[in-house]
């Protein structure tokens, strides 16, 4: 049995999660249900849970404030949230599991399955650090991303990424340090996370950081030269949009 605590300031949300866990996860025992940071901190200290379902917004406080008040934690965290797209993107950057309210039973089952298959508290701690960083205001231009790899996660600042290159169901990430990271995710996955940023998909196989484009060479589609010396073909249908992004006032 896994011991769990639910932390949420809305009773109807606690009730729904309680019922879902009874139906979908008989191996999880809910030890406590808390509505405030103080209650949750006390229960975590007393109950030593394996898992905490943590609401992002707790009245005028946040679940992050609870975690920051703990000297350490040796439990897994699954966040619950009704936040907007900005917050959801922060979760995707960190690769932390979250459940969007109202919680769907299939989403819950998926999150619990991943937790059972890959329980690594050291990785959880690092991913929460990334989540803290990316939730802070003013970090739009300096985000950290948890990149899923075959061995775990690589933690990288997006400002250090030059380009992503597709390799069927994998993606190779090239960084300023000339390090190549192979991710167990498709290029489309990273394109979705990095939309509305300095990254732009110039070709079906390439997502590049426009900050590192040194030259654009004209042609049918043309190609670009990046800071690491790589020469990347530009798809014809992407050419006009790329030129606008590189020279918006031209």
């Amino acid at each position: 049995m896994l011991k769990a605590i639910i932390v949420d300031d809305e009773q109807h949300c606690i009730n729904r999660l309680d019922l879902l866990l009874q139906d979908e996860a008989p191996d999880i025992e809910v030890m406590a249900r808390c509505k405030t940071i103080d209650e949750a901190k006390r229960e975590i200290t007393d109950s030593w849970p394996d898992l905490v379902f943590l609401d992002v917004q707790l009245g005028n406080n946040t679940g992050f404030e609870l975690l920051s008040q703990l000297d350490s934690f040796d439990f897994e965290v699954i966040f619950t949230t009704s936040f907007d797209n900005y917050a959801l993107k922060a979760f995707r950057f960190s690769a932390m599991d979250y459940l969007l309210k109202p919680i769907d039973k299939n989403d819950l089952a998926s999150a619990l399955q991943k937790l059972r298959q890959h329980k690594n508290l050291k990785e959880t701690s690092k991913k929460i650090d990334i989540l803290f960083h990316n939730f802070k205001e003013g970090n739009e231009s300096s985000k950290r991303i948890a990149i899923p790899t075959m061995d775990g996660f690589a933690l990288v600042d997006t400002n250090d990424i030059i380009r992503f290159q597709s390799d069927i169901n994998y993606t190779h990430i090239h960084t300023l340090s000339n390090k190549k990271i192979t991710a167990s995710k498709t290029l489309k996955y990273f394109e979705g996370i990095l939309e509305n940023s300095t990254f732009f998909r110039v070709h079906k196989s390439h997502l590049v950081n426009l900050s590192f484009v040194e030259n654009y060479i004209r042609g049918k589609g043309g190609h670009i030269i990046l800071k690491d010396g790589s020469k990347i073909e530009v798809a014809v249908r992407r050419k006009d949009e790329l030129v606008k992004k590189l020279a918006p006032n031209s």
Side-chain angles (χ1 to χ4, degrees):
M1 293 288 288
L2 292 176
K3 297 188 298 181
I5 291 176
I6 299 174
V7 184
D8 198 307
D9 63 340
E10 296 179 287
Q11 187 62 48
H12 70 94
C13 292
I14 293 176
N15 294 343
R16 177 171 177 79
L17 183 52
D18 248 334
L19 289 173
L20 288 174
L21 288 171
Q22 290 174 27
D23 293 339
E24 306 295 328
D27 62 328
I28 293 179
E29 179 184 5
V30 179
M31 307 293 293
R33 298 148 186 87
C34 309
K35 292 186 176 182
T36 68
I37 286 179
D38 289 340
E39 285 180 34
K41 187 177 179 181
R42 185 167 55 251
E43 287 293 344
I44 288 171
T45 302
D46 292 344
S47 303
W48 291 77
D50 301 299
L51 170 63
V52 173
F53 292 95
L54 182 57
D55 190 11
V56 172
Q57 193 68 45
L58 295 167
N60 294 323
N61 305 111
T62 69
F64 305 131
E65 292 175 60
L66 167 62
L67 295 178
S68 68
Q69 290 180 23
L70 300 174
D71 294 330
S72 62
F73 61 90
D74 54 358
F75 53 84
E76 292 287 343
V77 180
I78 296 179
F79 287 96
T80 60
T81 181
S82 54
F83 268 27
D84 59 17
N85 288 334
Y86 171 74
L88 298 184
K89 185 179 289 188
F91 281 107
R92 295 179 68 193
F93 265 86
S94 70
M96 280 297 300
D97 272 319
Y98 66 90
L99 296 170
L100 188 62
K101 297 180 181 181
I103 297 173
D104 176 81
K105 70 175 183 178
N106 293 327
D107 291 341
L108 174 62
S110 177
L112 292 175
Q113 182 180 20
K114 284 189 285 184
L115 181 145
R116 294 185 182 105
Q117 290 176 343
H118 191 74
K119 190 172 186 293
N120 188 320
L121 291 172
K122 186 176 181 180
E123 284 185 2
T124 298
S125 178
K126 290 180 179 179
K127 289 188 286 185
I128 287 176
D129 285 344
I130 290 177
L131 189 60
F132 280 174
H133 173 84
N134 291 340
F135 251 103
K136 293 177 183 176
E137 293 184 6
N139 280 324
E140 277 298 314
S141 62
S142 177
K143 285 191 175 295
R144 294 176 190 148
I145 184 171
I147 298 174
T149 66
M150 297 299 293
D151 301 319
F153 288 87
L155 311 178
V156 184
D157 193 312
T158 55
N159 288 338
D160 293 332
I161 298 174
I162 297 176
R163 61 191 175 97
F164 296 81
Q165 182 176 355
S166 175
D167 184 4
I168 309 177
N169 292 325
Y170 296 88
T171 302
H172 302 299
I173 296 98
H174 299 264
T175 68
L176 279 175
S177 62
N178 292 320
K179 180 180 180 181
K180 185 172 80 170
I181 302 166
T182 298
S184 54
K185 292 287 186 179
T186 64
L187 188 63
K188 186 175 180 62
Y189 168 84
F190 291 106
E191 183 183 21
I193 290 178
L194 294 164
E195 63 181 350
N196 302 320
S197 69
T198 59
F199 288 85
F200 182 75
R201 192 162 182 172
V202 299
H203 186 274
K204 65 179 181 180
S205 299
H206 298 282
L207 178 69
V208 304
N209 188 339
L210 298 182
S211 301
F212 296 121
V213 175
E214 296 199 330
N215 291 289
Y216 169 70
I217 310 300
R218 295 184 182 279
K220 186 176 181 180
H223 60 268
I224 54 176
I225 307 296
L226 300 178
K227 187 172 183 176
D228 64 351
S230 56
K231 180 179 178 181
I232 307 296
E233 180 184 356
V234 178
V236 174
R237 64 184 182 86
R238 306 296 283 163
K239 175 182 176 179
D240 291 344
E241 188 176 355
L242 172 65
V243 170
K244 288 179 182 178
K245 286 182 175 294
L246 293 176
N249 298 318
S250 63

